Amino acid sequence: MNSPQKPRVVSGMRPTGKLHLGHLVGALRNWAPLQEKYDCFYFVADWHALTSDYANTAAITTHAIDNVADWIAAGVDPERSTLFIQSLVPEHAELALLLSMVVPIPWLERVPTYKEQQEQLTDKDLSTLGFLGYPLLQTADIALYDGRFVPVGEDQVAHLELSREAIRRFHQFYGEVLVEPQPLLTPIPRLPGLDNRKMSKSYGNTIDLTDDADAVAKKVRQMYTDPKRIRADIPGTVEGNPVFMYHDAFNTNVAEVDDLKSRYRAGKVGDVEVKTKLAAAMNVTLEPLRARRREVLARPGHLREVLVEGSRKARVIAQATMERVRDAMKLRY
Ligand code: TRP
């Protein structure tokens, strides 16, 4: 049961594709334990997906269902948390519009991801109002639920800072109606991709939560390691080495990991052994997730029901917030 005494946590994920280990380590492993102490609202940010993927919307709903299956597989519990779809709660758009009245455009242009993404995603025209307004929609996502804490990765801190500034500016005009959110930073360092670049679908360097045991083993064999170790008897570097970062993230046998690290540093272990043990450990960790994922997807219509019901609950709260906002803005008729 949701208890109203618990402070509220809000976080969202864009349904832009299959989830990979970066999502598991960077978000879901954080989302699940937060359910103990917080009243958690986790949602599919489908309008946010449109800010960059507006030209191709056909797969958004499929990704949404598929992603939520992974959330639940990773321990997000629809009985304890409210899981919903952003676009089923149209108040997100209403509050974002009202915020857009008071937030100066240069504040949005200064958000680092704005220029970065425009430069990187050159195949898309991101000179749209929707893309510029991304952080305002995100502010609305959080403020509608009085979200106090927002679990996010490092890359989202600038967005959250903008949210805080936007809410403070809103308060200057209309009084204190909203809650200023704080980031809850993921404790685990970011997991690199197979090639040691940032893990991203567009780099083709991910391990997906839908990959089976063989696919994981195959990908691990191709993983980047210490490039100066051309032979097994050359001492290697453990720090910042993706293979050992993955061992730290997935191998629960700490003694085995310590032994591999010390032999690696001494040039007394081959990459094949390090990687074989890694793949085995990863599959031990991932198999229960795969099983739970299969289970939830085997119940036809189940996830849709969870999301429609969650969205209905979320909307009741969002509407109450909008009543407060209308009062504060003197938009009462
Ligand atoms: N911008 C977030 C991301 O890309 C997704 C998101 C949208 C979000 N709205 C949010 C995260 C509200 C936290 C709270 O990861």
Side-chain angles (χ1 to χ4, degrees):
M1 284 306 287
N2 293 320
S3 97
Q5 299 90 303
K6 290 183 182 171
R8 197 161 283 153
V9 151
V10 179
S11 201
M13 211 183 264
R14 286 171 300 135
T16 52
K18 284 195 245 178
L19 299 192
H20 52 63
L21 294 184
H23 297 106
L24 179 66
V25 171
L28 298 175
R29 276 192 180 172
N30 209 14
W31 286 15
L34 288 172
Q35 298 174 115
E36 301 293 330
K37 285 206 300 210
Y38 300 98
D39 181 18
C40 297
F41 279 59
Y42 296 133
F43 68 97
V44 175
D46 55 348
W47 279 339
H48 274 109
L50 291 178
T51 61
S52 54
D53 293 359
Y54 56 84
N56 195 356
T57 59
I60 289 181
T61 56
T62 311
H63 290 146
I65 297 288
D66 182 84
N67 293 359
V68 174
D70 285 335
W71 298 3
I72 294 174
V76 173
D77 178 1
E79 299 287 319
R80 281 193 290 170
S81 299
T82 306
L83 310 187
F84 69 99
I85 306 275
Q86 184 184 41
S87 71
L88 291 181
V89 186
E91 285 73 16
H92 288 245
E94 186 181 356
L95 185 54
L97 176 84
L98 295 176
L99 290 165
S100 80
M101 303 299 168
V102 301
V103 173
I105 289 174
W107 289 19
L108 295 167
E109 288 171 333
R110 276 201 295 271
V111 174
T113 44
Y114 177 64
K115 281 227 164 59
E116 271 165 35
Q117 299 259 64
Q118 279 196 332
E119 279 161 17
Q120 279 167 21
L121 307 177
T122 44
D123 54 329
K124 294 168 184 161
D125 183 352
L126 296 182
S127 60
T128 57
L129 184 55
F131 187 68
L132 180 66
Y134 186 114
L136 292 186
L137 182 57
Q138 180 159 341
T139 305
D141 296 338
I142 302 161
L144 277 176
Y145 306 99
D146 295 334
R148 222 162 268 287
F149 299 106
V150 183
V152 287
E154 284 283 355
D155 56 327
Q156 292 292 314
V157 172
H159 281 151
L160 220 52
E161 198 43 50
L162 191 281
S163 291
R164 294 162 58 80
E165 283 165 358
I167 288 173
R168 284 202 286 270
R169 184 151 164 107
F170 198 79
H171 289 170
Q172 282 169 18
F173 295 111
Y174 313 119
E176 302 248 336
V177 262
L178 303 173
V179 170
E180 256 184 62
Q182 306 268 1
L184 268 185
L185 275 183
T186 313
I188 314 126
R190 199 209 299 265
L191 203 64
L194 294 169
D195 56 359
N196 205 26
R197 291 189 291 174
K198 176 183 154 60
M199 191 184 292
S200 161
K201 182 177 44 141
S202 53
Y203 292 151
N205 62 0
T206 67
I207 293 179
D208 300 329
L209 294 179
T210 43
D211 284 344
D212 63 17
D214 286 343
V216 169
K218 185 158 172 262
K219 287 182 176 181
V220 166
R221 279 199 293 276
Q222 297 158 358
M223 248 173 112
Y224 174 98
T225 56
D226 183 344
K228 68 181 186 309
R229 246 174 66 93
I230 43 175
R231 283 194 328 264
D233 61 354
I234 297 174
T237 305
V238 164
E239 285 68 34
N241 185 332
V243 174
F244 285 101
M245 290 168 87
Y246 279 54
H247 264 294
D248 286 336
F250 296 103
N251 194 343
T252 52
N253 185 345
V254 180
E256 178 176 279
V257 177
D258 286 348
D259 169 62
L260 288 173
K261 284 180 180 171
S262 66
R263 286 198 287 138
Y264 195 82
R265 289 193 179 101
K268 291 201 158 75
V269 64
D271 280 355
V272 173
E273 182 182 346
V274 177
K275 286 181 168 180
T276 307
K277 288 190 166 145
L278 174 60
M282 288 176 70
N283 282 325
V284 167
T285 304
L286 293 174
E287 192 45 44
L289 271 78
R290 295 184 193 120
R292 272 200 297 276
R293 185 191 148 82
R294 277 194 300 273
E295 263 167 48
V296 278
L297 288 175
R299 296 170 64 183
H302 172 61
L303 287 181
R304 268 201 175 70
E305 258 166 56
V306 163
L307 291 167
V308 167
E309 175 56 19
S311 302
R312 198 193 52 73
K313 268 174 52 190
R315 192 164 189 205
V316 172
I317 297 168
Q319 284 175 330
T321 305
M322 288 316 296
E323 290 299 311
R324 259 159 47 209
V325 167
R326 279 168 175 272
D327 280 339
M329 294 181 75
K330 308 200 182 350
L331 293 171
R332 273 280 168 226
Y333 294 94

